[in-house]
Amino acid sequence: GVPAQRPFGALVVDLHSNKVTDVVPEDPRALRHWGAYDSSPVRLGDFVFRPGENGILYKYTVAPGRLIPHSTLNYTVGGAAPGMECSMAVYRNYGYVGDNHGHVLCVNLSTMKPVWYYALGDDIDASPVLTVEDGAPYVYFSCEADRRGDGDARFVKLNALNGDEVWVNATPARKRNADGKHFDGGFYASPLPGIGDCSDLIFTNCVLNTSGSNGRFMAIDRKTGKTVYTTPLKIYSWSSPVGFLNENNKMFVVTADGAGNIYLIEGRSGKILVTKSVGNNFESSPVVIGNSLVVGSRGNSIFKLSIK
C-alpha cells in the first residue's frame, strides 16, 4: 500500500511460524517507480506469478521460505509502463492481466512473452474471470470510468485463445469529484459466473456515481452480453459477489457494499431477499465455506455469516 514505512513491497510469510521469511522490495529496473501490489499472486506448480503496480509481471521459483526471481515481462505502450492492479487469470500456460491504462494482455507463462493484446480503454482494477464454455476458453474483463471521466464503463467477453471480442456491455458511469479528490466509477469487483439455474448469466457490481455514490448489482447474459436486470444497491460496491446453490439447484448471490451492508439476492430475478447492516465498509471479497461466508471490513473487523 502507501509507503508510510519501509520495506515497501511484498512479503513472504511462513504460516506455520507467522514470520516474514522474505521481502520483495522496490525494483530499480521498473520504469514506474512504485512498490505496491494490489494484485494477488498465483502459484502454478513450482512457480509464482505476480503483476506489479510498477508495470512488471514477475515469475518466481518457489523455494523454502522464499521466492527466487526467474524472469519478468517488462512492457510499454506508447512509451508508458502502466501499472497492473488486477490479479491474473490463468488457462493452461496462458496468463491474462489488465493494467491501469486499459490494456489487456495474454502472456505465455512458459516464455513470458505476450501473445495478444486488447484495448479496453480505461483503468482495470477488477480481476478477470476465465470460463470454459462449450469446450472453448473465454475471459471476462471490465474497467472503470477514470481516464475518460464521464461516459461509460465497459464489460467485455473475449476469446481467450486469440483475444477476439465476443461482446461489449457498456454501462453509464462517471468519475465523481469532491473536495479536490476524485472517486472513479465503473467496475472494481470481479464478475461471478452463474451456476445452477443461472448458468446462462454472469453477475457483477458497478459503481455508477450518477446520483451521489450510487451503484448497482447486474446480471448479464453470457452469450449475448445484454443486461438481463439491474438491482440498485444502497451505495456503490467494490466487493465481489459470491454464489450459493440450494438443494433445488437454485442460485443465490451474496454481495456487500461500501456502507457496510450485505445483501442476499435471488440470482434468477435480482430480488433482494435480505439486507443487513453489518460492518463499516466492505472492499474485500467474501470467502465461501459451505453455507457460510467470511469477509473483512474497513475498521479491522472480520465477519462470518451463515445462510439458513
Side-chain angles (χ1 to χ4, degrees):
V2 177
Q5 56 185 346
R6 293 300 198 263
F8 178 39
L11 307 177
V12 179
V13 180
D14 185 326
L15 296 180
H16 295 287
S17 64
N18 195 30
K19 293 181 179 178
V20 175
T21 59
D22 199 5
V23 177
V24 180
E26 294 172 78
D27 192 335
R29 300 170 300 169
L31 296 177
R32 188 171 187 264
H33 298 293
W34 188 247
Y37 292 87
D38 273 11
S39 67
S40 298
V42 58
R43 179 170 180 173
L44 303 170
D46 294 330
F47 300 103
V48 163
F49 298 86
R50 190 163 205 178
E53 288 191 51
N54 60 6
I56 299 177
L57 175 62
Y58 292 91
K59 181 178 182 179
Y60 298 97
T61 303
V62 179
R66 61 185 298 246
L67 297 176
I68 301 172
H70 181 281
S71 53
T72 61
L73 171 62
N74 305 48
Y75 73 98
T76 60
V77 181
M84 291 169 278
E85 297 178 272
C86 70
S87 302
M88 186 172 69
V90 174
Y91 176 74
R92 296 183 178 176
N93 62 313
Y94 297 109
Y96 304 88
V97 69
D99 63 37
N100 54 24
H101 285 192
H103 310 123
V104 174
L105 290 178
C106 171
V107 181
N108 185 324
L109 299 179
S110 299
T111 63
M112 294 297 283
K113 301 294 184 183
V115 178
W116 55 256
Y117 157 86
Y118 176 85
L120 186 52
D122 213 326
D123 189 1
I124 302 170
D125 272 20
S127 297
V129 164
L130 189 139
T131 63
V132 177
E133 303 171 18
D134 298 324
Y138 296 93
V139 64
Y140 294 87
F141 272 89
S142 53
C143 70
E144 301 169 21
D146 173 12
R147 300 171 65 83
R148 293 172 298 128
D150 292 354
D152 58 43
R154 303 173 77 224
F155 186 107
V156 299
K157 179 179 183 178
L158 305 175
N159 183 311
L161 297 181
N162 56 26
D164 285 351
E165 180 185 287
V166 179
W167 50 250
V168 179
N169 183 299
T171 297
R174 67 183 183 90
K175 177 186 290 190
R176 182 166 170 254
N177 296 299
D179 300 324
K181 298 181 180 180
H182 68 87
F183 174 48
D184 302 334
F187 298 97
Y188 290 81
S190 296
L192 171 68
I195 53 177
D197 68 332
C198 296
S199 59
D200 59 323
L201 303 177
I202 188 164
F203 303 99
T204 190
N205 291 319
C206 187
V207 181
L208 303 179
N209 285 339
T210 53
S211 178
S213 298
N214 61 321
R216 67 187 184 188
F217 173 76
M218 302 174 59
I220 298 170
D221 187 291
R222 286 164 69 168
K223 287 193 177 297
T224 66
K226 302 295 184 183
T227 300
V228 176
Y229 66 75
T230 62
T231 299
L233 304 177
K234 290 180 178 292
I235 197 172
Y236 69 90
S237 175
W238 286 5
S239 180
S240 302
V242 295
F244 295 83
L245 286 178
N246 70 3
E247 64 278 7
N248 298 317
N249 212 35
K250 186 175 180 180
M251 185 179 182
F252 298 87
V253 179
V254 176
T255 196
D257 70 20
N261 300 297
I262 291 184
Y263 306 84
L264 175 63
I265 300 172
E266 186 177 62
R268 193 73 245 172
S269 68
K271 180 182 178 182
I272 296 177
L273 303 177
V274 179
T275 304
K276 295 192 82 169
S277 179
V278 179
N280 296 316
N281 176 7
F282 291 106
E283 295 181 357
S284 66
S285 304
V287 174
V288 178
I289 307 140
N291 68 326
S292 299
L293 62 93
V294 177
V295 62
S297 169
R298 289 287 285 260
N300 302 325
S301 297
I302 299 174
F303 297 90
K304 180 182 178 183
L305 300 97
S306 297
I307 299 174
K308 297 182 179 179

